[in-house]
Amino acid sequence: MDTSKDSDGFASRPLEAEGARVAPLGVPAGVWSLLALVLGVVLTLWAVQAQQRQDEAERRVAFTHLADRAHAAVLDRLRACEMLARSVQTMFLTSEEVTADEFRAMYANLDPRTLVPGMQALVVARRETRADGDHYVYHADFVQPRAGNEALFGLDVNTQPANLAAVLASRDSNRPALSAPFRLAQVAADGGAADGVTFRLPIYSPGQPPGSVAERRERIRGSLAISFQLHSLIQTALPEDGASHLHVEITDVTGPEPLALFDSHTGAHADAPTAHRYDKELRYGGRAWRLSMHPLGHDAQTAFWQRSPLLPGLLASALLALLVSSVVNTRRRAVDLGNRMSRRYRESEERFRALNELLPALVVLARQDTGRITYANQASRLRLGEEVCELELPTLFEDEGLRERILACDQSSCLNMEAVLRSANGDRFWASLSIARVDVGGESKLLMVASDISEQRQLTELLSYQASHDALTELYNRREFERRVERALIVTAAGGAPAALLYIDLDQFKLINDTSGHIAGDQLLIQLAINMREQLRGGDVLARLGGDEFGVLATNVHDQAGASNVAERLRERIDGYVFVWEQRTYTISASIGAVMIDHPNVNLKDLLAQADTACYMAKESGRNRVHFYSAQDDDTTRRQTEMEWANRLRWAVEEGRLLLKYQEVWPLAAPSNGKPHIELLLRFRDEQGRLVPPGAFMPAAERYGLMPMIDRWVVETALSNFDRLHPSGPDLQLATINLSGASIEDDALATLVLDLIEQHGIDPGRVCFEITETVAVRHLSQVSRFIERLRAAGCLIALDDFGAGMSSFGYLKNLPVDIIKIDGSFIRDILVDPMSHAIVGAVTDIGHRLGLKVIAEWVSSEEIAQELHDMGVDYAQGYVLHKPEPVVFHRGLTGDGD
């Protein structure tokens, strides 16, 4: 059989062979083409059905996800409304009286229409008690914005039942309440339908939020309302893709009859396939809303036909039939098919290159031997410059050490790193990159793929900075400062150079906050931080520890003299600083406590406590000075002792270590009626059962703010056991209870006293409360209010230590007291000191002229008692007359000794 070769070098086949290829197995070529077409159509129909099922599942998942987002978005809108309302409520809780200007400024600052789109008004209705009950009336001063809401001025909420129901619900629960939909007053004039609701929170009187329904009803002052049109609120809350692909209906189902609130596509019900309907109930503010959603059907159909494989499949079937026909018919058609496949391959390669151009990552290809860049995608050219292909790959790196490593990369290694890259125009940025050696067309190349991570690096550095620095002053914060101090302790323990810890507390900083506001105080802290930083040496650490307290870690100071120089330089810089704020000028000073870090046997907690103690001693010594901690310092030791006492006193009440004694007060100028008069004295019982006099623990209680707790215990214990204080029982004429200055400032104490007197049925005239003259002078206004409440109920008031303070007589005429007790320092020297004798006589005379009883303290002898009698003093108190004894109900707890 003859064979020959064509011009392309391929062997030519005999005609018989060609004929065999045209009709394989004796079947005509047309039949093979038809079979291929039928097979392609069958496969296409199967693929269409599979695609339909897949699309249906994807649409169901996408719809559920979108509906959940819509539900969450509506709920988030209502929560944003609650946050806005809580902010306004808090302003009323913390202020005795909110003015219209403050309310208007609050509204402008919060910009509520940004948080609550569709909001109509932010208003406060004041509670007004009338003959028919409470009414809630809007006042023009508390309506924002005023424009467009004039219809609310003077509106009585009681005329709107749905609105009033929300007022009462929020009043009793102190929780947000939504009203039923009703016609808003602003749109009532045009006859519009019910298209709005109000969001309600109660306005209580200032103080802690009330805890019970009864307290809430008693303290209610008004009701805060945010009215809004539902359509705008819900429409803007829905996701953008949800508004165009979902039919959303919201109905209020709280009551027996559902109320339509919102419909995003009126008349679109016919498009809703029941298999994709979404119903979920949203409960908020006492209302129940049903959210019903379903997808718009035409979108799903359009999306399916856009993705359906039917047309491509039919086309592929036809092509397959043509391909079979071409294969079995002619070699030319096979060659043509090969040419078409070749073209498709080239097109695929071009698409790959186009896709590579669109990648966001930086892709660069360079020669292995020279490093010259031969290709850079579009992202690389934009970030590195159009001239990048004229550069060598190593020149893109800022680090010279990396340039040598890049060219040494081989096929067995791949460089993965973060490095600083440099563009053709000199810009620098951080990138995460990989470099590998690849073979392209038999030529060795270097492929670099990089991503710009400058923003991530900046964010990481910012977070690291914020974790170790104070946001206001940009100094180190307390956490970072303590870490630096711990490092210094380790260095010192290892034999390193000593260091010093300085604790700086500004003097009278609260005065600036109280007079000029916290903004002024913050500005002062910023300026002082800058000034103090200028005084530090290299290696010293300055930090803000909190409030107006700063810390300095002075390194390499060698001894206390070096640390003192650093501390004094800081103190002088602060002392010389003049702070000016809004036409006011303040002089600043600071008290500095210092402690040396020069021995290993100390931990961070003890070191900070020592520095704090030294700072306190600096303040006690007159402020504006430096004090170094010393374990042998008597004042420091006393300070530590007081701190220990403070810890013991905090548990004294629970452990039953406080008890009462009494000392009788004897009449001098008039005969006794047989009914005793006593003063109650406080004692502390230690762990061994011994009684500790008040002079040992009272200074600590006063310094650490524990006196109100102790005074409250004394008042409750004495009044609860009043007839068991003295052996005379119910015949006790008068019992005097001492109160501290801190307790006088507590307005609730007077209420407690009056409640206990009424509860235990005590005659108020048998109870006397004693305050010192120094407390009365220092807190004159609070003392006057306290005295007036108790005296109005019938209690007596005694002024103790009279004569020891300044301008005693001048203050006496302004204080409504019943008894004055002459300070014991005058009584003790009355027989030997003419001045003391004259003062006692003057006080007695003036007291009697004012109608007051006069008591002399510290009477230590019969001679002094006789002299006081001759001078007309009414009563005497002292050890010579009566030594203190435990009250009756405390006897047996300890010995009778004082």
Side-chain angles (χ1 to χ4, degrees):
M1 186 164 26
D2 279 340
T3 61
S4 63
K5 290 187 177 180
D6 60 15
S7 60
D8 292 330
F10 292 98
S12 299
R13 291 181 172 85
L15 295 177
E16 292 82 2
E18 292 294 329
R21 292 180 63 227
V22 170
L25 302 178
V27 179
V31 175
W32 284 109
S33 299
L34 181 60
L35 290 175
L37 179 61
V38 171
L39 177 62
V41 171
V42 171
L43 292 176
T44 299
L45 293 177
W46 176 83
V48 169
Q49 292 179 349
Q51 183 67 38
Q52 282 182 318
R53 290 192 295 271
Q54 181 180 356
D55 285 356
E56 182 69 11
E58 291 178 354
R59 284 197 300 272
R60 183 178 294 107
V61 172
F63 165 70
T64 303
H65 176 67
L66 187 57
D68 287 338
R69 287 170 53 204
H71 178 274
V74 174
L75 184 59
D76 286 344
R77 275 282 190 262
L78 295 176
R79 287 173 176 166
C81 190
E82 180 180 354
M83 290 178 60
L84 171 63
R86 286 292 185 191
S87 300
V88 180
Q89 184 194 43
T90 302
M91 181 177 71
F92 280 87
L93 276 175
T94 56
S95 177
E96 286 291 335
E97 185 65 30
V98 177
T99 66
D101 290 340
E102 291 174 342
F103 188 82
R104 183 169 57 255
M106 174 276 303
Y107 179 87
N109 185 51
L110 291 177
D111 191 15
R113 286 189 168 175
T114 302
L115 292 174
V116 187
M119 191 194 83
Q120 191 71 21
L122 176 64
V123 298
V124 174
R126 293 294 185 92
R127 173 190 177 190
E128 295 182 3
T129 302
R130 301 178 182 175
D132 59 343
D134 289 342
H135 286 250
Y136 294 87
V137 181
Y138 295 133
H139 288 260
D141 289 344
F142 294 95
V143 176
Q144 289 293 333
R146 297 174 65 86
N149 292 299
E150 292 81 2
L152 298 181
F153 298 171
L155 177 66
D156 189 346
V157 178
N158 292 42
T159 62
Q160 299 174 326
N163 204 358
L164 180 60
V167 171
L168 301 180
S170 65
R171 177 199 66 184
D172 290 346
S173 65
N174 192 20
R175 297 181 64 83
L178 282 173
S179 72
F182 69 100
R183 180 175 300 173
L184 299 179
Q186 297 92 326
V187 298
D190 60 7
D195 62 350
V197 299
T198 58
F199 187 99
R200 286 284 177 182
L201 272 180
I203 299 297
Y204 298 114
S205 58
Q208 292 293 327
S212 64
V213 173
E215 186 180 0
R216 291 170 188 147
R217 293 183 177 182
E218 178 181 359
R219 290 180 54 190
I220 188 72
R221 296 171 58 187
S223 180
L224 168 68
I226 300 176
S227 62
F228 49 85
Q229 296 178 351
L230 283 173
H231 189 274
S232 298
L233 179 76
I234 299 173
Q235 186 70 38
T236 56
L238 294 177
E240 294 183 2
D241 48 355
S244 59
H245 294 82
L246 289 180
H247 180 196
V248 182
E249 297 176 277
I250 301 181
T251 308
D252 190 326
V253 296
T254 309
E257 293 294 329
L259 301 173
L261 300 178
F262 177 81
D263 190 339
S264 63
H265 291 79
T266 305
H269 300 276
D271 295 332
T274 56
H276 289 75
R277 188 170 185 85
Y278 176 97
D279 289 290
K280 190 170 184 179
E281 190 168 279
L282 185 152
R283 292 186 174 274
Y284 199 90
R287 307 296 299 179
W289 292 358
R290 183 176 65 234
L291 275 70
S292 299
M293 289 171 268
H294 57 262
L296 299 177
H298 61 82
D299 289 341
Q301 296 173 4
T302 302
F304 172 76
W305 286 111
Q306 289 176 348
R307 300 175 54 194
S308 172
L310 179 60
L311 295 179
L314 293 176
L315 180 59
S317 300
L319 291 175
L320 178 61
L322 293 174
L323 177 61
V324 171
S325 176
S326 176
V327 169
V328 298
N329 279 316
T330 64
R331 178 176 176 275
R332 181 182 59 81
R333 296 292 298 272
V335 173
D336 290 342
L337 179 60
N339 291 334
R340 287 196 297 272
M341 292 179 66
S342 178
R343 286 196 301 271
R344 290 175 182 173
Y345 173 77
R346 289 194 299 270
E347 292 171 357
S348 175
E349 182 181 6
E350 291 174 357
R351 285 195 298 270
F352 174 77
R353 293 178 64 87
L355 178 61
N356 192 52
E357 281 290 297
L358 298 176
L359 284 176
L362 280 61
V363 180
V364 175
L365 199 63
R367 293 173 59 91
Q368 169 75 34
D369 51 357
T370 64
R372 185 171 183 80
I373 298 174
T374 60
Y375 170 76
N377 69 346
Q378 181 180 3
S380 299
R381 296 194 299 274
L382 290 175
R383 191 68 183 88
L384 298 172
E386 292 293 339
E387 304 84 359
V388 65
C389 290
E390 302 174 4
L391 303 176
E392 295 179 357
L393 183 61
T395 62
L396 298 179
F397 288 82
E398 183 77 10
D399 187 351
E400 295 183 359
L402 290 177
R403 298 176 184 176
E404 299 178 359
R405 294 176 56 193
I406 291 170
L407 295 179
C409 182
D410 55 32
Q411 290 183 341
S412 62
S413 63
C414 180
L415 297 178
N416 296 289
M417 68 187 80
E418 291 184 358
V420 178
L421 297 184
R422 182 171 56 189
S423 66
N425 59 10
D427 291 340
R428 291 168 174 79
F429 63 95
W430 277 93
S432 174
L433 56 92
S434 295
I435 300 178
R437 180 182 171 185
V438 296
D439 288 332
V440 179
E443 185 179 358
S444 181
K445 300 273 189 178
L446 291 176
L447 175 64
M448 182 183 79
V449 180
S451 299
D452 188 347
I453 60 169
S454 299
E455 184 176 350
Q456 294 92 319
R457 292 277 301 198
Q458 291 174 358
L459 179 60
T460 301
E461 292 173 358
L462 176 61
L463 292 176
S464 176
Y465 180 85
Q466 291 176 342
S468 60
H469 286 73
D470 174 55
L472 177 65
T473 62
E474 297 186 357
L475 300 176
Y476 287 123
N477 57 21
R478 188 182 193 97
R479 178 180 178 183
E480 179 64 17
F481 183 73
E482 291 179 352
R483 191 175 66 83
R484 299 290 183 105
V485 174
E486 285 182 330
R487 186 187 304 168
L489 288 171
I490 295 173
V491 171
T492 301
L501 174 62
L502 308 181
Y503 190 94
I504 304 171
D505 191 353
L506 301 183
D507 299 329
Q508 304 297 338
F509 178 75
K510 185 176 183 298
L511 174 64
I512 298 176
N513 277 340
D514 292 344
T515 57
S516 295
H518 289 278
I519 296 178
D522 290 347
Q523 187 61 37
L524 171 61
L525 295 176
I526 294 172
Q527 296 178 17
L528 286 180
I530 296 173
N531 277 270
M532 286 190 287
R533 190 186 290 124
E534 294 173 351
Q535 301 303 308
L536 298 181
R537 308 161 303 158
D540 292 345
V541 178
L542 173 63
R544 183 187 179 203
L545 306 182
D548 60 337
E549 300 168 352
F550 297 86
V552 174
L553 176 62
T555 57
N556 296 319
V557 293
H558 301 296
D559 53 24
Q560 183 169 319
S564 180
N565 289 335
V566 176
E568 283 294 339
R569 189 163 61 247
L570 286 170
R571 186 196 63 78
E572 291 173 0
R573 186 58 179 258
I574 297 172
D575 186 34
Y577 186 75
V578 178
F579 178 62
V580 180
W581 183 266
E582 295 181 348
Q583 291 81 45
R584 290 186 178 180
T585 302
Y586 299 93
T587 56
I588 311 301
S589 65
S591 300
I592 302 179
V595 58
M596 292 298 299
I597 306 176
D598 54 4
H599 56 282
N601 298 324
V602 65
N603 56 40
L604 176 64
K605 179 180 178 182
D606 292 341
L607 192 67
L608 293 175
Q610 292 169 3
D612 178 55
T613 300
C615 183
Y616 176 82
M617 297 312 305
K619 285 187 175 293
E620 286 287 290
S621 301
R623 294 188 173 90
N624 193 23
R625 64 192 65 235
V626 178
H627 186 94
F628 274 85
Y629 173 83
S630 172
Q632 288 74 38
D633 192 333
D634 291 340
D635 290 334
T636 303
T637 303
R638 176 173 58 85
R639 163 75 164 162
Q640 292 177 331
T641 301
E642 289 179 353
M643 293 173 66
E644 294 173 359
W645 264 114
N647 290 329
R648 296 173 69 185
L649 288 173
R650 286 189 178 95
W651 302 100
V653 174
E654 287 78 1
E655 295 178 355
R657 299 210 173 274
L658 296 180
L659 55 84
L660 296 176
K661 283 196 169 189
Y662 71 89
Q663 185 177 32
E664 295 179 353
V665 180
W666 286 23
L668 294 176
S672 173
N673 58 5
K675 294 185 177 182
H677 173 186
I678 64 172
E679 178 182 359
L680 295 178
L681 307 173
L682 181 65
R683 297 293 184 266
F684 181 88
R685 185 167 53 89
D686 65 13
E687 290 75 4
Q688 288 73 38
R690 296 171 300 189
L691 293 184
V692 180
F697 61 85
M698 292 293 273
E702 293 174 349
R703 177 163 290 114
Y704 291 97
L706 302 177
M707 284 308 301
M709 176 193 73
I710 294 175
D711 285 348
R712 184 175 288 263
W713 178 87
V714 172
V715 169
E716 292 177 346
T717 302
L719 296 182
S720 301
N721 301 275
F722 197 80
D723 286 342
R724 296 194 297 152
L725 297 175
H726 190 268
S728 60
D731 290 333
L732 177 64
Q733 180 179 359
L734 188 67
T736 300
I737 302 173
N738 290 276
L739 296 177
S740 66
S743 296
I744 297 297
E745 297 175 349
D746 184 4
D747 294 334
L749 182 61
T751 302
L752 174 65
V753 169
L754 298 179
D755 290 345
L756 289 172
I757 288 176
E758 181 180 0
Q759 177 183 347
H760 297 288
I762 303 171
D763 179 5
R766 300 172 63 196
V767 183
C768 178
F769 291 96
E770 185 172 298
I771 57 176
T772 63
E773 180 192 6
T774 53
V775 168
V777 171
R778 189 167 64 248
H779 307 281
L780 186 59
S781 59
Q782 292 96 328
V783 168
S784 297
R785 289 197 301 269
F786 184 85
I787 289 175
E788 288 171 357
R789 286 194 64 186
L790 295 184
R791 293 187 82 240
C795 297
L796 302 181
I797 303 297
L799 191 61
D800 195 14
D801 296 340
F802 189 79
M806 300 290 292
S807 304
S808 299
F809 295 134
Y811 282 107
L812 185 60
K813 65 180 181 180
N814 296 318
L815 289 173
V817 299
D818 304 282
I819 300 170
I820 55 175
K821 300 181 72 173
I822 305 175
D823 185 70
S825 61
F826 301 116
I827 305 300
R828 180 182 53 199
D829 301 330
I830 191 172
L831 298 179
V832 296
D833 183 8
M835 181 60 70
S836 296
H837 191 282
I839 291 175
V840 172
V843 171
T844 302
D845 182 58
I846 292 176
H848 288 164
R849 289 179 180 274
L850 294 175
L852 308 178
K853 295 295 184 181
V854 180
I855 299 177
E857 299 179 304
W858 296 9
V859 178
S860 58
S861 67
E862 294 289 347
E863 292 78 11
I864 293 177
Q866 183 60 44
E867 182 64 24
L868 292 171
H869 174 270
D870 296 340
M871 297 176 68
V873 175
D874 300 302
Y875 295 90
Q877 181 179 355
Y879 274 38
V880 71
L881 302 175
H882 181 256
K883 290 185 178 181
E885 300 180 53
V887 294
V888 174
F889 67 94
H890 273 169
R891 291 182 179 178
L893 294 179
T894 184
D896 292 341
D898 194 36

